[in-house]
Amino acid sequence: MVERVKVRFAPSPTGPLHIGGARSALFNWLFARHHGGTMVVRIEDTDLDRSTREYEELILDSLRWLGIDWDEGVGVGGPNGPYRQQERLTLYQPFTERLLATGQAYECFCTEEELEAERQNLIAQGKTPRYLGRCRNLSLQEKEAMRAQGRKPAIRFRVPQGKLLVVDDLVRGRVEFESDDIGDFIIVKSDGFPTYNYAVVIDDALMEITHILRGEEHLSNTPRQLLIYEALGFKVPQFAHISLILGEDRSKMSKRHGATSVVQYREHGYLPHALVNFLALLGWSPEGEEEIYTKEELIRLFSLERVSKSPAVFNLEKLKWMNAHYIKKVSAAELTKLCLPQLQRAGLIGTELTGEQMSWLEQVVAAVQEKLEYLAQVPDFVKVFFGETVELDEKDTAAQQALALETSPAVLQAFLTKTREVSAWDVPQVRQILKEIGKEVGVKGKALYMTVRVAVSGQSHGPDLNSLLALLGPAVVAKRLSYTLENILAH
Ligand code: GLU
């Protein structure tokens, strides 16, 4: 039975929100919402060289786009602020002073070069590199001498020897670590900034976080964090380390596997809920075979008991399938609005559309809706509806054959004549006209329909022929037929 629940998502703003980070954020959010708890978003920006406000904004924007909201944190405020670690420096100080005063931490004057030499030496001896404690027991005089040399100390945590450190992980079960495998680690850098392993503990404790749900890559940090909890007398929260996300070749998901950030999926035209549905099932599965869930269902069903220990495999085909499912459910008007930026970027439409153009565009988008897997495909799928000329697809042999038939010129000529007799037509009229041409020229089936399709679109596949012709209208169809007769058939 879970009592009070307070969780946090604590990204470092050193890049856009990745799929793994988004999944961690989502699991925290689902867990919080399931238990009626509190969701916090805190920014871990103590790595000054790599953190930027632009990345912070990008991450928050991706969370909002996914529909992940938070009750406390950056941009929202709350009783435990500020929520950026850079703004919390004075909060860490008293704890550091306490650790120094009790001897649980000490000043370390070693330079980068000295530490590197020690590392290399250990590696050469076949040992695991770690800090051997050169500054562990410096006298006051020794420290003064170091200071006189202009050295600025970092602060290290004095790791107790011979201690068994146990993480009772809600996903991984009992995981044990030996303190002897951990060298004294830096908690405050010489520039005065706390390190991740230190700040994270103080923040989680002061913010009264009850459950820490995060990626498995942080499991190895947890023993260090446990030592800090203990040294500062903080209550230890519950940990749940979620398995890695692997690419389809079973190696850790990386850029090699394609898009890794949420913004990239957004730009390709994945719908936010498709991504949420997909991410929810990366490492968690409710009972049963169902794959499609609303947000409300995910919240209702989510539980840590059903989070898997084994790594999740990112299957792009499944994501596409899910996205196609959600695309089909959107109304044509809504879908068209979502596609406008893609269509504008492709130069197919301008920025200002009249009501008439908009409703034509909605019908065009509706004609390809069934086939769409992601919105970036839209320009390519609908380009057949734009322009007055025809480009024959050189690689499309079926298309070449359809135009090479002996009957083709007569079919196209007959159709051209018909287009000049009407100023507008709808699908039933188009159907009727095509039938009449078939009778006139004495052809049917492919020799009729494929020939018309290729003459008008340049390819043997595409949207439903009658809809295509109806939406193009007789004037444009006439222009394209003339173009094909003069420029393609004549050669
Ligand atoms: N700032 C850490 C990261 O982005 C968060 C780790 C944690 O959740 O404790 O990986």
Side-chain angles (χ1 to χ4, degrees):
M1 174 65 197
V2 181
E3 287 172 9
R4 186 181 66 90
V5 163
K6 190 171 184 188
V7 292
R8 84 312 192 263
F9 177 57
S12 302
T14 54
L17 181 64
H18 279 219
I19 289 298
R23 198 242 340 223
S24 293
L26 178 64
F27 280 20
N28 275 289
W29 184 81
L30 290 173
F31 186 68
R33 295 292 173 256
H34 177 89
H35 291 287
T38 308
M39 169 84 175
V40 179
V41 171
R42 177 178 75 226
I43 298 295
E44 304 208 320
D45 55 358
T46 54
D47 183 346
L48 289 187
D49 296 334
R50 295 172 58 225
S51 301
T52 70
R53 273 299 174 97
E54 287 73 29
Y55 281 136
E56 176 187 315
E57 223 9 86
L58 199 59
I59 292 170
L60 299 181
D61 209 45
S62 291
L63 290 176
R64 289 186 204 107
W65 178 74
L66 289 169
I68 296 175
D69 58 352
W70 53 102
D71 314 297
E72 213 183 295
V74 268
V76 176
N80 302 110
Y83 293 93
R84 278 187 200 93
Q85 289 186 329
Q86 278 190 34
E87 294 164 8
R88 297 174 62 81
L89 298 185
T90 52
L91 283 162
Y92 307 125
Q93 259 163 21
F95 295 104
T96 312
E97 280 158 22
R98 211 160 94 198
L99 293 175
L100 283 170
T102 56
Q104 287 165 295
Y106 60 88
E107 290 177 307
C108 169
F109 293 87
C110 295
T111 61
E112 283 292 335
E113 296 73 34
E114 287 165 348
L115 294 171
E116 190 49 32
E118 179 175 283
R119 263 177 63 83
Q120 293 307 333
N121 208 353
L122 285 169
I123 292 172
Q125 293 173 41
K127 294 186 181 152
T128 321
R130 66 188 185 100
Y131 184 65
L132 292 178
R134 192 196 319 235
C135 296
R136 242 185 174 215
N137 299 305
L138 293 182
S139 67
L140 270 178
Q141 285 88 335
E142 284 170 319
K143 286 192 214 170
E144 280 321 308
M146 296 282 192
R147 261 188 252 279
Q149 287 176 19
R151 295 190 185 216
K152 277 192 84 181
I155 296 170
R156 280 189 193 268
F157 185 77
R158 191 187 301 272
V159 175
Q161 283 166 0
K163 218 174 148 65
L164 183 70
L165 298 160
V166 179
V167 185
D168 269 317
D169 196 276
L170 292 172
V171 172
R172 322 212 82 78
R174 184 183 164 96
V175 189
E176 294 181 354
F177 298 89
E178 305 275 351
S179 74
D180 291 352
D181 294 335
I182 306 170
D184 293 350
F185 56 93
I186 294 180
I187 55 173
V188 181
K189 292 173 274 184
S190 59
D191 62 6
F193 277 81
T195 56
Y196 156 67
N197 275 318
Y198 184 53
V200 76
V201 171
I202 296 176
D203 287 347
D204 286 338
L206 295 183
M207 293 178 187
E208 300 178 321
I209 301 300
T210 60
H211 296 75
I212 294 184
L213 277 58
R214 62 184 173 197
E216 192 186 353
E217 65 273 19
H218 287 294
L219 183 61
S220 58
N221 286 319
T222 312
R224 289 180 184 77
Q225 295 172 15
L226 285 178
L227 288 167
I228 305 283
Y229 276 101
E230 192 174 321
L232 292 175
F234 291 142
K235 183 168 186 274
V236 180
Q238 298 241 261
F239 290 97
H241 287 93
I242 317 160
S243 298
L244 296 179
I245 300 176
L246 305 182
E248 271 168 271
D249 59 357
R250 302 254 155 185
S251 68
K252 188 167 187 261
M253 173 104 166
S254 71
K255 289 207 175 98
R256 262 184 326 111
H257 297 105
T260 51
S261 68
V262 171
V263 265
Q264 282 171 307
Y265 285 95
R266 182 178 179 173
E267 274 162 17
H268 287 168
Y270 286 86
L271 302 185
H273 188 63
L275 205 52
V276 162
N277 191 157
F278 176 75
L279 290 174
L281 299 181
L282 271 186
W284 169 77
S285 56
E287 270 173 69
E289 298 294 306
E290 185 56 46
E291 307 250 44
I292 298 291
Y293 295 96
T294 63
K295 222 166 232 182
E296 292 68 32
E297 286 168 334
L298 290 174
I299 291 172
R300 184 166 53 77
L301 295 168
F302 189 79
S303 77
L304 289 178
E305 286 80 49
R306 298 196 62 91
V307 171
S308 165
K309 255 194 217 182
S310 21
V313 175
F314 188 98
N315 179 342
L316 185 62
E317 286 311 311
K318 180 167 164 185
L319 172 58
K320 283 187 194 164
W321 167 81
M322 256 183 202
N323 202 46
H325 169 87
Y326 287 106
I327 287 176
K328 285 190 194 92
K329 295 190 123 181
V330 175
S331 74
E334 182 64 23
L335 186 62
T336 307
K337 265 197 223 119
L338 291 171
C339 294
L340 286 179
Q342 313 265 7
L343 294 167
Q344 281 160 356
R345 245 178 283 146
L348 290 174
I349 56 165
T351 43
E352 301 285 326
L353 295 186
T354 63
E356 204 181 328
Q357 287 170 324
M358 196 65 192
S359 74
W360 177 80
L361 193 59
E362 279 171 18
Q363 295 176 66
V364 166
V365 170
V368 301
Q369 185 163 6
E370 278 288 315
K371 290 195 184 142
L372 279 179
E373 289 180 314
Y374 50 95
L375 306 187
Q377 292 171 321
V378 160
D380 208 38
F381 283 20
V382 303
K383 69 173 191 280
V384 67
F385 290 93
F386 294 83
E388 295 177 345
T389 59
V390 175
E391 203 181 318
L392 186 62
D393 183 347
E394 297 293 339
K395 290 189 286 299
D396 191 337
T397 37
Q400 317 267 351
Q401 283 164 2
L403 288 191
L405 295 176
E406 216 179 307
T407 48
S408 297
V411 169
L412 302 185
Q413 203 57 60
F415 193 18
L416 184 57
T417 310
K418 296 269 184 210
T419 58
R420 295 194 169 133
E421 289 164 10
V422 283
S423 60
W425 56 23
D426 57 15
V427 169
Q429 283 166 307
V430 166
R431 199 176 286 135
Q432 184 55 32
I433 291 172
L434 288 179
K435 248 190 221 153
E436 286 166 19
I437 297 166
K439 268 203 204 117
E440 256 176 62
V441 187
V443 288
K444 54 184 179 190
K446 263 193 171 177
L448 172 63
Y449 299 103
M450 187 56 88
T451 301
V452 169
R453 175 186 285 286
V454 177
V456 171
S457 72
Q459 48 194 20
S460 62
H461 54 90
D464 170 65
L465 181 61
N466 294 328
S467 313
L468 173 67
L469 295 172
L471 283 165
L472 288 172
V476 171
V477 169
K479 287 206 171 109
R480 291 191 184 185
L481 288 172
S482 309
Y483 183 91
T484 299
L485 282 163
E486 285 159 31
N487 298 284
I488 303 175
L489 278 200
H491 290 278

